[in-house]
Amino acid sequence: VLTVSNSIAEQLVVKLGREVNVIRNTFPSAQFSLPDRASYLAYAGNISDGRDLVTVVQGARLAEFDLRFKGRVLTDILELHDVNIEEAGTVEEAGEFLARGGIAVVSLEDSGDNHRFALPNKLFHAVSIGIPVVAAGLPEMGEVVNEYGLGRLYIPGSPESFSQAVEDVLLNYSDFREKVHDAREHLNWTVDRQNLIEVYLNTQDKVSVLES
């Protein structure tokens, strides 16, 4: 049994009564030219309900810092009508967009266990590039962000909290950049790929024992 976060794994162990392995949705470390200072807040992903984007827009305005989006518009959100939105592209193009901005937005509403126990691809994409995040302060994501010092958390639904998180990252930008750089040693696909391979190798060994 494979899943993507420790919280989900713990629940599955209780429900299934068997071993559960965590393989995170990490990315290979990427090489991009990064700015010495952040130039804008970058959100790369689907633009739709449930992602707390109204809070993000309002919070960015409070912080008086540029906010840009790149992704597919799946929901017409009124507050985004005056926001810079680039069309979705490849993962490489999304990485370039994030790198130019210097701060990644990883937002979600606190609307259920699916979000509370999530570790979104966006979080690990930012780490692979080497930029800090402003992320929703949900249990699983918050634990990873705080453990590795990847950026600042905000309270979902609170523009004031989002604004404060942005200001904190800007004030300590170089420190966060260093911590994200260090975290890439642990939060990358080289590590999780090897973990996945070992899971299958161990499974094959157990099957061989049973067959013999």
Side-chain angles (χ1 to χ4, degrees):
V1 179
L2 304 176
T3 190
V4 295
S5 77
N6 291 329
S7 295
I8 297 173
E10 290 168 2
Q11 294 180 56
L12 288 176
V13 167
V14 172
K15 287 185 177 182
L16 302 177
R18 58 185 294 188
E19 182 181 6
V20 177
N21 298 278
V22 176
I23 307 296
R24 298 163 302 192
N25 293 323
T26 50
F27 288 66
S29 294
Q31 299 299 323
F32 288 100
S33 177
L34 299 177
D36 292 329
R37 300 176 62 184
S39 55
Y40 59 84
L41 294 168
Y43 175 94
N46 288 335
I47 297 165
S48 61
D49 293 332
R51 298 171 188 266
D52 206 25
L53 298 182
V54 172
T55 298
V56 170
V57 171
Q58 294 175 347
R61 288 172 180 163
L62 285 176
E64 298 182 341
F65 197 68
D66 191 17
L67 167 67
R68 303 182 189 182
F69 292 82
K70 184 178 183 65
R72 296 181 300 165
V73 180
L74 303 180
T75 304
D76 184 23
I77 301 174
L78 179 63
E79 285 78 0
L80 271 65
H81 284 185
D82 296 327
V83 176
N84 184 306
I85 301 177
E86 296 183 17
E87 289 186 6
T90 64
V91 173
E92 180 76 12
E93 289 169 343
E96 291 174 354
F97 168 77
L98 292 169
R100 288 196 307 270
I103 299 176
V105 174
V106 189
S107 56
L108 279 176
E109 293 178 359
D110 186 0
S111 57
D113 288 348
N114 186 47
H115 286 180
R116 295 187 187 108
F117 302 139
L119 281 179
N121 293 358
K122 294 181 185 65
L123 177 64
F124 297 120
H125 198 183
V127 172
S128 74
I129 294 163
I131 60 172
V133 302
V134 173
L138 299 168
E140 189 73 18
M141 182 154 55
E143 183 174 332
V144 174
V145 170
N146 286 333
E147 178 181 356
Y148 292 96
L150 303 179
R152 281 285 185 259
L153 302 172
Y154 78 96
I155 301 170
S158 170
E160 294 78 13
S161 176
F162 185 90
S163 174
Q164 185 61 59
V166 171
E167 292 172 5
D168 288 349
V169 172
L170 290 172
L171 185 62
N172 302 284
Y173 189 71
S174 60
D175 291 340
F176 283 119
R177 276 274 306 274
E178 289 182 12
K179 290 176 181 176
V180 174
H181 181 271
D182 292 342
R184 296 207 297 178
E185 180 180 347
H186 308 281
L187 303 177
N188 71 74
W189 183 240
T190 300
V191 173
D192 284 294
R193 174 183 179 275
Q194 186 58 39
N195 291 340
L196 181 60
I197 290 171
E198 289 178 1
V199 168
Y200 278 98
L201 290 176
N202 290 336
T203 301
Q204 288 175 354
D205 290 341
K206 291 175 183 177
V207 170
S208 297
V209 170
L210 290 172
E211 290 178 343
S212 63

